[in-house]
Amino acid sequence: MTALTLSTAGAATLRADALVVGIAKGTGSKAGALVVAPGAEAVDKAFDGKLATVLETLGASGAEGEVTKLPAPSGLKVPVVVAVGLGPVPEKDDAYDAEALRRAAGSAARALTGTKKAGFALPTESSEDAEAIAEGALLGAYAFTAYQGGENKLAPKGKKGNGAKLPLAEVALLGTKPRDKAFKAAAERATAVVEEINRARDLINTPPNDLYPESFAAVATAAGKEHGIKVQVLDEKALVKGGFGGLLGVGQGSTHGPRLVRLGYTHPKAEKTLALVGKGITYDSGGISLKPAGHNETMKCDMSGAAAVFAAVVAASRLGLQVNVTGWLALAENMPSGNATRPGDVLHMYSGKTVEVLNTDAEGRLVLADALTRASEENPDAIVDVATLTGAMVLALGNRTFGVMANDDAFRTAIHEIAEEVGEASWPMPLPADLRKGMDSPTADIANMGERMGGGLVAGLFLQEFVGEGIAWAHLDIAGPAFHEGAPYGYTPKGGTGSAVRTLVKLAERTAAGDLG
């Protein structure tokens, strides 16, 4: 991954391949004017105070994420200056929003693909600003190149064998205090969290012929050994013995059998336990209820919830959070075959309930149900499940916002606020009791489908049936933001995004601090 350093050098003295500065849109009396953001004073001086004028001549407007490159003047030690837009100047002087800094840094890092070292002289008034810039730059520098070019020794230096440029190699943060504990902690936290987000992205982007339940479980086991996390893997034999009918029912159509993976991070002084449950459908064909043409191509991403949970548990361990965190990865491959579950079949779930399967493409809730029940048996203080669960949620909230449902309004509000704080768009959604009746089955205790309208809420109601009594629970439907099919923007790449990891990590931190009751 891209290296991160806190630099003591000034913008005028830094030796690097490029220097990133911020520009913004003027407001009030300066409306329409281009404003050079704090941190770029030395660069502006090198341009004889005319940096804004030069950039305006080149068409720069200061719009969020806009990147303009220009040759550096002789007064600087870098050959290139990269001006990135921060959007409107904030109402309070120098108080740029953390997400604006994060996105600007990400846009600049993407624009510097193929570069060895770049200095980032964006507005840094606090360690929180430094952390946001670091997160954005490291997230923006991500690239999934594992299947591109291989180890071609004949490829030009700095490029993969297929000609693709490598990501920015080093980010140097300027305007920081390298010896200050708060700044050092901010850099360490940003590095740990982003490395795990990028690990999740790698898993999501890995082709399904290489990532299936068994291989995912192996990755988790290896990470557990590295980071002191206890890992337990239930294979098909153990799942049969335990009566995990949801996992077995979804996975029985594939040659790759299902797995339930438990990750356990513990802290000797922890007073709270947080359980995280992730949907891990490593490929979703829809099963017998086969998806139509055009809907299968990105279904390797249907394990994004499990990837997020995995990444969050490892991040909690790396950060040494004073909270116990268990992660449950409900892994299966949903395929059609002569052995696959049929619409009309009844599954005997781990909870003891029976479920009539009306649609085999509503499989995520089945594997999650077993994992939720198992997680509840350990009586954690709260459970959060994460899943690319329904297309209905994408229709409701679009491609960049995930839905939050819960059996406790205060818990739902807390998660929504945490998500917004860390820069992950979310929206609180209800669990209307009247929609439960649509899942009544004449054959079983409950059906896996209900009313078509409000399908995302119906799925949440189904999951709620399998949560232990008295346990605070929330459901994050990340079907929209988990996988980005369009052009990259800000720090968001094309492909797997690592959605919800930052929210889960911050939730664990708040739980450790006792801020959630």
Side-chain angles (χ1 to χ4, degrees):
M1 192 181 94
T2 301
L4 175 68
T5 58
L6 300 179
S7 178
T8 57
T13 58
L14 177 75
R15 293 187 181 277
D17 300 295
L19 181 63
V20 177
V21 297
I23 54 174
K25 286 184 173 183
T27 57
S29 61
K30 293 184 178 181
L34 196 64
V35 177
V36 176
E41 293 85 356
V43 178
D44 190 30
K45 183 178 179 180
F47 278 92
D48 296 325
K50 298 179 180 179
L51 177 58
T53 302
V54 172
L55 288 168
E56 285 179 338
T57 302
L58 294 173
S61 66
E64 184 179 287
E66 176 188 75
V67 175
T68 306
K69 294 182 180 181
L70 62 165
S74 58
L76 301 178
K77 303 295 184 182
V78 296
V80 176
V81 170
V82 178
V84 62
L86 291 163
V89 173
E91 293 182 7
K92 295 181 179 180
D93 291 342
D94 303 337
Y96 282 88
D97 177 73
E99 182 64 4
L101 294 174
R102 202 177 281 119
R103 291 179 178 175
S107 296
R110 286 192 299 102
L112 289 167
T113 297
T115 303
K116 289 183 179 180
K117 180 179 179 179
F120 281 68
L122 295 173
T124 309
E125 297 299 314
S126 65
S127 60
E128 289 79 12
D129 291 341
E131 184 173 336
I133 295 166
E135 280 185 351
L138 296 178
L139 287 169
Y142 171 82
F144 184 65
T145 60
Y147 291 79
Q148 296 178 343
E151 298 295 327
N152 187 350
K153 296 180 180 179
L154 298 178
K157 193 172 183 180
K159 292 187 178 182
K160 296 291 287 184
N162 66 345
K165 293 181 179 179
L166 294 175
L168 172 63
E170 181 182 348
V171 169
L173 294 189
L174 279 62
T176 59
K177 302 173 183 177
R179 295 181 180 84
D180 184 277
K181 289 183 179 180
F183 278 90
K184 288 174 66 176
E188 290 170 0
R189 183 187 184 279
T191 299
V193 173
V194 174
E195 283 184 354
E196 296 314 316
I197 291 173
N198 286 344
R199 188 204 297 261
R201 289 171 166 182
D202 283 347
L203 287 167
I204 296 165
N205 291 327
T206 298
N209 57 317
D210 282 343
L211 189 74
Y212 42 88
E214 184 179 3
S215 62
F216 195 153
V219 171
T221 300
K225 291 180 180 178
E226 180 182 356
H227 297 288
I229 299 169
K230 186 176 181 180
V231 181
Q232 179 186 15
V233 179
L234 299 185
D235 61 12
E236 291 162 280
K237 185 177 180 180
L239 293 173
V240 170
K241 184 178 180 180
F244 291 87
L247 276 156
L248 291 165
V250 173
Q252 71 187 43
S254 173
T255 56
H256 297 296
R259 297 287 187 274
L260 178 61
V261 180
R262 181 191 185 277
L263 302 164
Y265 161 69
T266 58
H267 190 285
K269 295 183 179 180
E271 296 181 355
K272 297 284 187 178
T273 296
L274 178 65
L276 308 176
V277 178
K279 173 187 173 183
I281 304 299
T282 56
Y283 183 76
D284 183 19
S285 69
I288 297 297
S289 305
L290 195 66
K291 291 180 183 292
H295 289 73
N296 280 296
E297 289 76 7
T298 61
M299 282 300 101
K300 65 181 181 180
C301 80
D302 213 19
M303 37 59 67
S304 296
V309 165
F310 170 45
V313 176
V314 177
S317 177
R318 292 181 60 174
L319 296 172
L321 302 185
Q322 194 170 312
V323 59
N324 296 330
V325 184
T326 57
W328 301 86
L329 314 183
L331 308 176
E333 186 176 66
N334 187 24
M335 296 291 285
S337 74
N339 196 46
T341 292
R342 296 154 291 237
D345 283 356
V346 173
L347 303 179
H348 294 262
M349 309 295 285
Y350 180 71
S351 68
K353 291 183 179 181
T354 55
V355 176
E356 181 182 11
V357 179
L358 299 181
N359 187 322
T360 64
D361 196 23
E363 84 299 328
R365 64 199 70 183
L366 298 175
V367 301
L368 286 174
D370 275 353
L372 284 168
T373 302
R374 178 63 187 88
S376 297
E377 288 182 338
E378 298 187 2
N379 198 32
D381 294 284
I383 299 176
V384 179
D385 76 71
V386 188
T388 48
L389 205 60
T390 65
M393 196 57 59
V394 184
L395 290 173
L397 299 178
N399 290 315
R400 298 190 182 185
T401 304
F402 62 75
V404 184
M405 286 156 265
N407 61 2
D408 180 277
D409 288 348
F411 191 42
R412 180 186 63 187
T413 298
I415 291 178
H416 169 58
E417 291 176 348
I418 286 171
E420 295 296 308
E421 178 187 338
V422 300
E424 295 197 300
S426 71
W427 196 251
M429 303 292 283
L431 289 172
D434 61 285
L435 290 177
R436 169 61 182 83
K437 185 173 179 58
M439 290 184 285
D440 286 348
S441 166
T443 308
D445 295 322
I446 189 173
N448 77 327
M449 293 290 289
E451 293 183 30
R452 181 168 176 266
M453 300 302 174
L457 312 182
V458 171
L461 287 165
F462 179 91
L463 294 177
Q464 186 175 222
E465 298 268 333
F466 298 88
V467 177
E469 187 175 351
I471 301 174
W473 158 79
H475 162 55
L476 278 53
D477 191 336
I478 61 171
F483 196 83
H484 179 56
E485 295 185 66
Y489 64 94
Y491 53 80
T492 301
K494 187 178 180 68
T497 64
S499 176
V501 176
R502 283 179 287 157
T503 297
L504 296 179
V505 173
K506 181 61 72 173
L507 174 63
E509 289 175 326
R510 291 283 177 83
T511 304
D515 293 343
L516 294 175

